[in-house]
Amino acid sequence: METGLRNRVAIIAASSKGIGRATALALASEGTHLALCARNANALDQVAEEARHLHGVEVYTETFDVAEDDRVRQFADAVHGRFGNIDICVTNAGGPPAKSFAETTMAEWDRAYQLNLRSIVSFAQAVLPYMQQRRWGRLITITSIAVKQPVPELILSNSVRTGVLGLVRSLATQYGPDNITINNVGPGYTATDRVKELAQTNAQTSGRSASEYESEVAKDIPLGRLAKPEEVADVIVWLASERASYITGQTILVDGGLYRGL
Ligand SMILES: NC(=O)c1ccc[n+]([C@@H]2O[C@H](COP(=O)([O-])OP(=O)(O)OC[C@H]3O[C@@H](n4cnc5c(N)ncnc54)[C@H](OP(=O)(O)O)[C@@H]3O)[C@@H](O)[C@H]2O)c1
């Protein structure tokens, strides 16, 4: 299937590991030039090298925290300066800690808002005017199955991320006339460091080992296993491609059937 992604330019936020990394490499394999960020340089540089070496694309990287909106704007401007356009923007960030409601602090609520809702606003503000100029664009947010079905012990994620759905649906309406599609991808349990982190937190409270936690989680998933990050990335690539030109304002879960709603 021709994706039309060759020589497009994509920002992929929080892309040195996990789902962000898999998305960067999947887009690179389609010939898309990349602009990547994360807080730490080592893993980020490795992804950039892999994309250049394996797929011959250009890669621009910067290290910063996506909660810093001035850095997000500077990054987008630098990407535009370097490549001349920004076609695709995939927003992403680390997830908030797993805690019961009673354990959460106001500082953690503020941080979850900054990371998992406000950072998306920053990226949208920074990239949409560039996409409007060219009357083509794809904004894709990575959230979680939590936007449809609350996940136990993830009260911060369950609460803050639902705001992304309102943002995505509203922006899709506003920017549709500019030929910009705006969609959200909600991963279910995906085999990355994030799940290892959740397994460790769970082990401290329940006494179950990390592998027992993962087996327990997998029992509830109709496909009987966690996702590979590449399986989430493939859906993001499709949404970014010409093949998804009439899809906007949607949330697509990549959860192996875990969400039971209609
Ligand atoms: N894995 C799952 O099962 C799952 C399920 C549902 C939702 N999600 C959500 O999907 C997102 C990605 O998850 P993942 O599993 O791919 O996580 P991951 O493997 O832990 O990778 C997180 C990536 O984000 C970067 N990052 C984290 N915080 C950042 C920040 N403040 N600013 C810039 N970069 C940042 C990390 O690099 P640095 O540390 O160097 O910054 C790393 O590259 C998270 O929001 C997660 O909660 C994951």
Side-chain angles (χ1 to χ4, degrees), residues 32-261:
T32 304
H33 303 300
L34 306 177
L36 312 179
C37 68
R39 290 164 303 175
N40 301 293
N42 279 355
L44 189 66
D45 290 345
Q46 279 172 28
V47 181
E49 237 353 271
E50 207 173 327
R52 289 185 192 109
H53 179 71
L54 290 178
H55 306 298
V57 296
E58 286 180 49
V59 188
Y60 176 78
T61 61
E62 267 190 42
T63 50
F64 62 92
D65 186 325
V66 294
E68 294 176 43
D69 50 289
D70 51 339
R71 295 297 310 270
V72 170
R73 182 173 303 279
Q74 285 160 19
F75 176 62
D77 290 345
V79 173
H80 190 265
R82 160 93 181 250
F83 293 101
N85 54 306
I86 299 171
D87 300 301
I88 299 154
C89 178
V90 181
T91 68
N92 189 26
K99 299 211 157 179
S100 69
F101 177 64
E103 288 170 327
T104 57
T105 64
M106 288 316 285
E108 285 166 339
W109 281 95
D110 288 346
R111 178 71 176 155
Y113 160 69
Q114 284 170 11
L115 266 188
N116 301 118
L117 178 56
R118 192 172 182 277
S119 74
I120 299 169
V121 176
S122 313
F123 274 103
Q125 280 183 343
V127 303
L128 286 170
Y130 288 131
M131 293 176 179
Q132 273 180 310
Q133 283 169 14
R134 293 168 59 90
R135 294 193 54 76
W136 199 96
R138 301 278 192 263
L139 177 64
I140 301 161
T141 59
I142 298 176
T143 56
S144 166
I145 185 178
V147 300
K148 294 281 185 184
Q149 181 168 284
V151 179
E153 300 298 302
L154 283 180
I155 180 87
L156 294 162
S157 180
N158 297 340
S159 306
V160 169
R161 290 192 202 265
T162 50
V164 180
L165 297 199
L167 178 70
V168 162
R169 198 64 200 78
S170 307
L171 292 178
T173 304
Q174 193 177 333
Y175 289 87
D178 295 303
N179 194 32
I180 298 168
T181 68
I182 300 173
N183 291 291
N184 171 49
V185 170
Y189 289 96
T190 309
T192 67
D193 286 356
R194 169 71 172 163
V195 161
K196 286 188 199 137
E197 182 191 306
L198 295 178
Q200 274 161 13
T201 309
N202 186 274
Q204 283 158 16
T205 49
S206 71
R208 282 183 302 185
S209 70
S211 67
E212 282 169 337
Y213 168 80
E214 285 187 22
S215 310
E216 199 66 32
V217 160
K219 271 190 208 155
D220 247 7
I221 302 172
L223 288 181
R225 62 176 176 86
L226 275 59
K228 293 180 248 171
E230 292 76 14
E231 292 176 302
V232 181
D234 283 344
V235 174
I236 297 170
V237 168
W238 171 69
L239 283 170
S241 78
E242 292 290 356
R243 302 277 74 83
S245 51
Y246 204 58
I247 308 283
T248 195
Q250 301 305 306
T251 286
I252 299 184
L253 298 183
V254 188
D255 67 347
L258 179 59
Y259 172 60
R260 298 297 202 271

